[in-house]
Amino acid sequence: MNFKDIATVAGKPGLYKVLKPSRSGVILESMDAKKAKLVAGMSQRVSILSDISIYTMTEEGAEPLEAIMKKIEAEFQGDLGLDANPDDTELRAFMKHVLPEVDESRVYTSDIKKLISWYKIIRTQAPETLEESSEEQKED
């Protein structure tokens, strides 16, 4: 599985595995213990994780979510060092550490909370997606 196979649905918590397209939308399976199936129709906003980026102050203007999550995994190996209920200051400090060039005026605390919860779900349900692929390691 990779970031192209994982989606989020607006208004619904958690992440979903993309199973296959259907005539009325796309069939998704929740990435939790329930493995509940869901048909997301055209009226629902479904975002594929490989298409999501976080705003930065760099020339490109954004950093792909996949790169940020792989950076978090490489550095923290699952132990993010955050309190159970971190406050805004702690969350922003964590984000600044992971992505120093983050655009703090456009990245909200709720976005950072979502990033952390998605990271935890992926690390539990699909840890192989956080590993650097052999092609990416050659580029570095």
Side-chain angles (χ1 to χ4, degrees):
M1 186 184 315
N2 61 36
F3 280 78
K4 292 181 191 81
D5 304 324
I6 304 172
T8 179
V9 180
K12 297 202 179 288
L15 294 174
Y16 296 83
K17 188 185 321 178
V18 177
L19 297 180
K20 62 182 177 185
S22 71
R23 277 184 296 228
S24 60
V26 64
I27 301 171
L28 304 170
E29 179 183 76
S30 65
M31 289 181 72
D32 58 14
K34 295 177 192 155
K35 301 283 184 217
K37 301 246 185 332
L38 163 80
V39 177
M42 298 301 165
S43 62
Q44 290 176 298
R45 267 199 358 248
V46 176
S47 301
I48 304 299
L49 289 197
S50 61
D51 297 339
I52 298 175
S53 296
I54 293 184
Y55 292 116
T56 63
M57 304 295 273
T58 61
E59 205 173 298
E60 294 82 31
E63 179 83 12
L65 183 67
E66 182 173 0
I68 295 167
M69 286 206 182
K70 286 182 177 181
K71 194 185 284 187
I72 292 170
E73 176 63 13
E75 185 168 341
F76 295 98
Q77 299 288 309
D79 182 12
L80 304 179
L82 295 169
D83 292 341
N85 288 317
D87 61 9
D88 288 12
T89 312
E90 189 177 1
L91 288 168
R92 291 204 169 272
F94 172 78
M95 193 70 221
K96 195 84 174 148
H97 175 79
V98 172
L99 189 65
E101 59 277 357
V102 65
D103 185 344
E104 294 186 61
S105 64
R106 294 169 74 189
V107 176
Y108 302 107
T109 307
S110 60
D111 300 329
I112 301 168
K113 285 180 181 174
K114 227 181 276 184
L115 167 73
I116 292 167
S117 80
W118 290 353
Y119 168 76
K120 289 177 180 175
I121 292 169
I122 290 173
R123 191 158 206 286
T124 307
Q125 300 295 325
E128 71 280 0
T129 58
L130 294 171
E131 294 169 9
E132 293 287 328
S133 67
S134 52
E135 295 126 42
E136 288 171 351
Q137 287 175 343
K138 286 177 196 166
E139 290 173 15
D140 289 343

